[in-house]
Amino acid sequence: MSNQPRTQATGIIGRVARLIGIVILAVVATAGLSPLAGYAVQSDTSAGTTIYLPLVSKSSCSADPARINAPRFNGAIPFAQTAIAWFGKVSPTQNYTDIRVGYNANELYVYLAIFDRHLWYDDNPTPQTLTQWDAVTLLLDTSGGAVLSPASWKIVAQLYGDPSPQRRAVYRGSATGWQATSISFNAVPGWRGNALNDNSDTDRGWAMGFTIPFSSLGLSSAPPDGTSWRMAVIVHDRDTRAGPPIGDQFWPPQGSLDSPGCWGALNFGLPAYQSNVTPTGSAIIRRPTERSPLVPDADVGAAIANQCPGDENHIWNEWGNRNYGSAPDFNIQNQSDIADWPCFAKYYVTFPLDSIPPGKVIVSATLTLHQFGNSGGMDVAKPSWIQVLTAAGDWSEDTITWNNAPIAYENVGGSWVNPTTLTGWPGTPRTWDVSYAVARAYARGEPLRLILYSADSDYHSGKYFVSSDTGDWNIAGRPRLDVRWGEAR
């Protein structure tokens, strides 16, 4: 395995992406090659070539798209504290992607970590064919507008063994579409696996880190806190030299290359919540008994019972489709080495809010989880900035998996979680402020659907917690939501 992706950018990488690929993919194919779903075949018998044209279906834009709330840092951007988001699936022919985003006074940093079984770049790239191989497209609109304009940017980078200006392209929006241009930015690739452009064995994945100076986008400094841009990401995939390219994957899922109004939101700064109302009531919400359906939760990915499997068939065909909704414990884990993605895990939990009387004002809300261990001993385990996010949809405890779990709607904060050793149950309490998320869910008449994940860099970053499915002997260890409310004025 070679070329571990860079975990820190000297000039922090910035990239925003947008979904979709209505670009025409022209690929010379060998006889007998069958196109994959999502592509129509147009034969040119005189030239002896086969051209693959993507089948584009138009879907309506979401009125409330997913968003990434980017944290601001002074100086160097710490990789493990960048905002985390994700999209896609893991399978032999599908890719999954983690998105990390952060910024400082000078530049935007966007890092994509992609699970990919076979890694292919173009030996003779051109700007027009970059996206027919393993590549990423980052879409940004600095005005937050709904239509293409000079504030719209399309930044493309193709996988390679080293940073390659030849494998980058930039386009700027206009009333007539995308126009090629040139700006100063950096795109640092990395990969892990057998070898590039070699299917004699499988690979694990690759990464691309973008550093985009705000000055390159026409800004004199970082946007003020609270500014909202449009952003989308497209991951392009190819698994053989002959092709064809495999269907693109997008964040957010309903996107259009040419319609910023269908992109997600990139917000500068984390959401804040404050209430000056005096508390008049409170509730503790957690699963009351082992057999109760309340407060469903589930680990997805590398659950404690499925930690870091190495079997190739399992990781590409089974790992992403297994359900651990009845497990009494769960793991939260991520790291910068994409080779170890079979160790990654997220946690989903839903709290009902119907015990809060109608017409109240949320004063504060705290999530408490009890930690009892780590994925490594105290001599190697490192602290983790574990982030809390809200889910973009509902899910079922009995069927949720890595591949079918809803993506995040937005990240809302985080807390440091140190390694620990169990000295007695229920374990070590860890807390997160979720006041903003509870206030939003309560105002919408919805349950609180949370996800916990990290943007960790270190090995041995997994943290083990008690789930709602623990026995009644350990009710104190179950996930718990404490809410205080007051009267509306």
Side-chain angles (χ1 to χ4, degrees):
M1 296 186 178
S2 292
N3 283 31
Q4 179 176 342
R6 176 182 293 190
T7 61
Q8 302 248 6
T10 19
I12 334 300
I13 62 191
R15 84 141 291 172
V16 159
R18 228 283 84 194
L19 5 135
I20 181 166
I22 13 184
V23 290
I24 295 180
L25 302 176
V27 180
V28 177
T30 58
L33 183 64
S34 299
L36 296 178
Y39 287 86
V41 180
Q42 176 178 319
S43 297
D44 181 347
T45 53
S46 63
T49 64
T50 300
I51 298 175
Y52 295 96
L53 303 174
L55 301 176
V56 180
S57 60
K58 191 73 175 175
S59 59
S60 59
C61 301
S62 171
D64 190 19
R67 56 195 61 193
I68 295 174
N69 300 313
R72 177 168 179 158
F73 301 98
N74 295 320
I77 296 175
F79 184 87
Q81 295 178 57
T82 53
I84 189 79
W86 58 89
F87 64 103
K89 298 180 179 180
V90 53
S91 82
T93 57
Q94 294 174 293
N95 294 347
Y96 165 91
T97 302
D98 272 342
I99 309 170
R100 290 171 170 88
V101 183
Y103 72 106
N104 61 18
N106 302 312
E107 51 204 3
L108 176 68
Y109 171 77
V110 180
Y111 183 94
L112 304 180
I114 302 154
F115 305 1
D116 191 349
R117 190 165 174 260
H118 293 298
L119 308 180
W120 286 87
Y121 65 85
D122 191 353
D123 291 314
N124 300 293
T126 66
Q128 295 76 24
T129 61
L130 290 179
T131 59
Q132 295 180 17
W133 301 77
D134 286 344
V136 292
T137 296
L138 175 63
L139 299 170
L140 295 171
D141 189 284
T142 61
S143 72
V147 298
L148 286 182
S149 73
S152 307
W153 300 89
K154 178 172 73 170
I155 303 171
V156 183
Q158 187 184 97
L159 171 64
Y160 193 58
D162 297 295
S164 173
Q166 187 183 12
R167 291 173 171 81
R168 303 174 193 165
V170 180
Y171 303 84
R172 193 169 190 177
S174 73
T176 57
W178 294 107
Q179 308 298 324
T181 189
S182 177
I183 64 170
S184 175
F185 75 102
N186 202 13
V188 179
W191 65 276
R192 294 281 270 152
N194 167 50
L196 298 177
N197 290 9
D198 179 356
N199 281 7
S200 63
D201 201 352
T202 58
D203 301 303
R204 285 293 176 88
W206 62 285
M208 187 67 71
F210 292 87
T211 303
I212 305 174
F214 290 116
S215 59
S216 295
L217 303 178
L219 304 177
S220 59
S221 62
D225 189 76
T227 300
S228 185
W229 290 4
R230 289 286 188 168
M231 169 181 163
V233 177
I234 310 171
V235 170
H236 313 280
D237 188 26
R238 189 186 187 106
D239 282 352
T240 63
R241 184 180 299 279
I246 298 173
D248 295 337
Q249 292 181 299
F250 313 107
W251 182 92
Q254 295 176 328
S256 167
L257 179 65
D258 300 324
S259 300
C262 293
W263 301 354
L266 172 62
N267 297 327
F268 289 85
L270 294 172
Y273 182 82
Q274 185 174 3
S275 171
N276 296 321
V277 172
T278 301
T280 58
S282 64
I284 296 173
I285 306 169
R286 67 181 169 200
R287 181 171 291 183
T289 66
E290 188 174 352
R291 298 195 177 191
S292 169
L294 295 178
V295 192
D297 65 350
D299 214 7
V300 298
I304 294 174
N306 190 34
Q307 271 280 281
C308 307
D311 177 76
E312 290 293 308
N313 179 71
H314 175 83
I315 65 172
W316 293 109
N317 294 281
E318 300 178 23
W319 185 92
N321 299 310
R322 289 201 170 185
N323 170 262
Y324 299 96
S326 61
D329 46 36
F330 63 91
N331 176 39
I332 299 171
Q333 186 163 352
N334 201 341
Q335 62 186 57
S336 61
D337 188 348
I338 194 66
D340 284 351
W341 66 254
C343 303
F344 298 1
K346 308 183 191 93
Y347 172 67
Y348 285 72
V349 61
T350 298
F351 290 91
L353 300 180
D354 47 11
S355 59
I356 305 174
K360 303 300 180 181
V361 174
I362 301 301
V363 175
S364 65
T366 303
L367 169 69
T368 301
L369 303 176
H370 284 82
Q371 181 191 3
F372 66 87
N374 328 283
S375 61
M378 293 296 288
D379 57 330
V380 294
K382 305 293 184 182
S384 296
W385 176 252
I386 294 183
Q387 300 182 43
V388 61
L389 312 96
T390 56
D394 205 357
W395 51 272
S396 169
E397 188 176 36
D398 297 331
T399 60
I400 188 173
T401 68
W402 182 276
N403 280 347
N404 69 20
I407 64 169
Y409 171 74
E410 67 177 328
N411 55 302
V412 299
S415 288
W416 282 106
V417 176
N418 292 319
T420 192
T421 55
L422 181 65
T423 57
W425 296 102
T428 303
R430 307 296 190 189
T431 60
W432 288 261
D433 183 347
V434 292
S435 304
Y436 165 84
V438 169
R440 185 178 188 277
Y442 175 71
R444 295 165 64 95
E446 300 173 348
L448 177 67
R449 302 182 180 100
L450 298 178
I451 312 168
L452 279 85
Y453 195 29
S454 75
D456 264 327
S457 176
D458 293 315
Y459 294 105
H460 312 292
S461 63
K463 303 295 184 288
Y464 299 163
F465 298 90
V466 177
S467 84
S468 285
D469 293 276
T470 191
D472 288 340
W473 61 271
N474 194 24
I475 185 173
R478 288 183 181 139
R480 163 178 166 164
L481 181 68
D482 290 76
V483 183
R484 297 190 305 159
W485 61 81
E487 305 306 315
R489 294 175 179 172

